[in-house]
Amino acid sequence: MVLSKKTKKKKNIKKYNVCVVGAGHVGLVAAACFAELGHEVVCVDNDKNKINFLKKSKLPFYEPELEPLVKKGVKKGNLNFSASLDIGIKKSEVIFIAVGTPPQDDGSADLTSIENVARAVAKNLNSYKLIVEKSTVPVQTGKKVKETIQRYRKNDVEFDVASNPEFLREGKAIYDFFYPDRIVLGVESKKAEKIFKEIYSSIKAPLVVTDIYTAELIKHASNSFLAAKISFINGVSRVCELAGADVEKVSLAMGLDKRIGKEFLNAGLGYGGFCFPKDVEAFMYISKKLGYDFGLLKEIKKINDCQRVHFVEKIKEHLWVLKNKKIAVLGLSFKPDTDDMRFAPSEDIINNFLKQGAEMFVYDPQAMNEAKKIFSSSNKIKFFKDAYSAVKNCDCVCFLTEWDELKKIDFKKIKKLVNYPFIADGRNMFDPAQVKKYGFEYISIGR
Ligand code: UGA
């Protein structure tokens, strides 16, 4: 999934020395993609082990199509990795900040890493620099970054701060980077705008040029709106269950209305991952701090939390007592095509089952290592190398992530292996009539 050579040759692109700070999902993808666009890139991370791994083109997480892109950049010599922020900043004109902004107990984002980068920029301001927020940050963070650099710098060298939020999805990150729906540029100077336009000149997408506050807000508003769509349809799914209606048909018909759109209207176990849960909370927090209590955001979170609890309750209605029941869980990552377990519905659901005394038998196509780290303290959870070994002698088989591999599961084979043929489909992956034909009891979401 790279830009075609034709597209790149057509444009005589100006090459920039780019430093990407943070080798996480956003940073590493951006670094590899900027190198693919022809820029000289150094990706910096303070985790030395990670950097040593990356120097050998070994990735710290699973993302389809990223590894060949990293290998290509490293081989070509325009993608380098370093544990030294000072060196990265000194040799670059454009610095993208893609460090983590994890949630704190009160819901606000922890911006310590962003401040550290701003201070390092101040220390290493040896020539003009454009400092770009790429991480999702609360509105007005850019102002703080600018003030920090002004406070700690030792000279009068010119610099610009800008916001260029990233909208890529895990699992589709490379595609999203090269083929975005839009590129948002929050700038304060014509010079910064010109640099951005040159950096992204090979990418065909509408450019939305704004001030920095607006760009920062676009990101929080976009993620929260997508989360709202998911919670809305999940709320509808609860009403469907009570009324005897089918949420799949409701969402299909709603989505055909162009004003609504069909994307992000799949009912299920709700959203997880490192972005939506933290961003909805951070947006809630910052709105309140600015003087507006954004109550809708609270409901979005509440509905999302409830989906996980409700799913276990529905299973309990069927199995009556959960104590000593054997439950298989197929699919653990927060969504398919990633090994990311952060804020995954599977974590809450498995913990709920464990609390009620069930024994868990789990499998995921990619997230087993991450899952083992999370559940290392429980001896009531067993990990399996494939779905069929996991379901052996179980009283219930739960599908929590809609991996393609799991969608193709052999129901005949499963039927022979389980203790009781009961399937709980948390992502509406299957046609109820088909599953029942194989002799299973079947429950899903909102139908
Ligand atoms: C999300 C946004 O989609 C990206 O645009 C953004 O850049 C990113 O957050 C970020 O802020 O870094 P991501 O977290 O990778 O991307 O995952 P999504 O594909 O958006 O899915 C989020 C969650 O919503 C998943 O748990 C998924 O299962 C759930 N979902 C999605 C539903 O439950 N129903 C749907 O219809 C769609």
Side-chain angles (χ1 to χ4, degrees), residues 166-168 170 219 223 230 264-266 272 275 334-335:
E166 185 50 68
F167 297 98
L168 58 81
E170 288 184 23
K219 173 68 191 200
N223 270 8
I230 298 169
F264 280 68
L265 218 48
N266 297 321
C275 303
F334 83 95
K335 66 172 188 176

Side-chain angles (χ1 to χ4, degrees), residues 14 16 39 93-94 128-130 160 190-201:
K14 183 166 182 307
Y16 278 92
H39 302 293
E93 183 173 358
V94 188
Y128 169 83
K129 301 201 188 291
L130 171 60
D160 272 308
K190 282 282 163 209
K191 184 169 181 174
E193 185 178 337
K194 183 170 173 277
I195 293 176
F196 270 128
K197 286 185 174 163
E198 284 170 346
I199 284 189
Y200 284 115
S201 63

Side-chain angles (χ1 to χ4, degrees), residues 148-210:
T148 305
I149 298 172
Q150 277 163 344
R151 189 176 306 144
Y152 292 105
R153 69 175 167 170
K154 302 272 183 289
N155 55 33
D156 279 341
V157 172
E158 195 198 344
F159 73 94
D160 272 308
V161 171
S163 166
N164 169 221
E166 185 50 68
F167 297 98
L168 58 81
R169 293 161 294 178
E170 288 184 23
K172 296 196 170 67
I174 308 299
Y175 177 86
D176 285 349
F177 190 94
F178 288 131
Y179 303 95
D181 289 340
R182 76 297 206 190
I183 295 174
V184 174
L185 308 174
V187 289
E188 279 183 335
S189 76
K190 282 282 163 209
K191 184 169 181 174
E193 185 178 337
K194 183 170 173 277
I195 293 176
F196 270 128
K197 286 185 174 163
E198 284 170 346
I199 284 189
Y200 284 115
S201 63
S202 313
I203 295 183
K204 265 177 122 185
L207 293 180
V208 182
V209 182
T210 74

Side-chain angles (χ1 to χ4, degrees), residues 248-264:
E248 289 296 309
K249 300 268 162 59
V250 175
S251 90
L252 174 79
M254 282 174 69
L256 286 170
D257 184 328
K258 287 191 197 73
R259 294 167 305 172
I260 297 173
K262 64 179 171 32
E263 303 288 333
F264 280 68

Side-chain angles (χ1 to χ4, degrees), residues 184-383:
V184 174
L185 308 174
V187 289
E188 279 183 335
S189 76
K190 282 282 163 209
K191 184 169 181 174
E193 185 178 337
K194 183 170 173 277
I195 293 176
F196 270 128
K197 286 185 174 163
E198 284 170 346
I199 284 189
Y200 284 115
S201 63
S202 313
I203 295 183
K204 265 177 122 185
L207 293 180
V208 182
V209 182
T210 74
D211 58 88
I212 297 178
Y213 288 177
T214 306
E216 291 170 333
L217 210 107
I218 288 169
K219 173 68 191 200
H220 262 155
S222 301
N223 270 8
S224 298
F225 188 79
L226 292 169
K229 271 188 103 174
I230 298 169
S231 279
F232 187 89
I233 200 65
N234 281 334
V236 171
S237 82
R238 297 293 296 274
V239 183
C240 285
E241 284 177 11
L242 295 166
D246 181 345
V247 75
E248 289 296 309
K249 300 268 162 59
V250 175
S251 90
L252 174 79
M254 282 174 69
L256 286 170
D257 184 328
K258 287 191 197 73
R259 294 167 305 172
I260 297 173
K262 64 179 171 32
E263 303 288 333
F264 280 68
L265 218 48
N266 297 321
L269 297 168
Y271 58 81
F274 198 56
C275 303
F276 286 177
K278 104 176 145 56
D279 291 352
V280 169
E281 287 221 38
F283 198 27
M284 213 186 296
Y285 179 89
I286 192 79
S287 308
K288 195 160 183 191
K289 203 172 151 208
L290 290 166
Y292 177 63
D293 192 3
F294 203 154
L296 176 61
L297 298 175
K298 286 183 207 155
E299 277 306 309
I300 294 169
K301 177 178 156 40
K302 192 172 140 199
I303 293 175
N304 199 56
D305 292 344
C306 283
Q307 280 306 93
R308 304 168 181 203
V309 179
H310 179 62
F311 185 66
V312 175
E313 277 167 5
K314 278 180 21 154
I315 292 170
K316 199 174 170 182
E317 267 172 37
H318 273 250
L319 293 180
W320 185 28
V321 172
L322 287 179
K323 195 166 179 201
N324 297 331
K325 288 275 157 57
K326 292 183 163 56
I327 315 266
V329 169
L330 305 182
L332 300 165
S333 55
F334 83 95
K335 66 172 188 176
D337 296 322
T338 176
D339 59 353
D340 198 340
M341 286 286 299
R342 290 175 297 177
F343 302 99
S346 64
E347 186 177 353
D348 284 344
I349 290 169
I350 289 171
N351 280 332
N352 192 346
F353 277 128
L354 288 172
K355 216 167 88 195
Q356 303 198 52
E359 290 175 52
M360 305 306 295
F361 300 78
V362 308
Y363 166 72
D364 185 279
Q366 284 292 341
M368 296 304 274
N369 287 340
E370 294 304 309
K372 280 177 190 165
K373 286 182 209 160
I374 290 176
F375 297 110
S376 58
S377 60
S378 175
N379 58 0
K380 291 267 186 193
I381 174 160
K382 293 194 173 64
F383 300 89

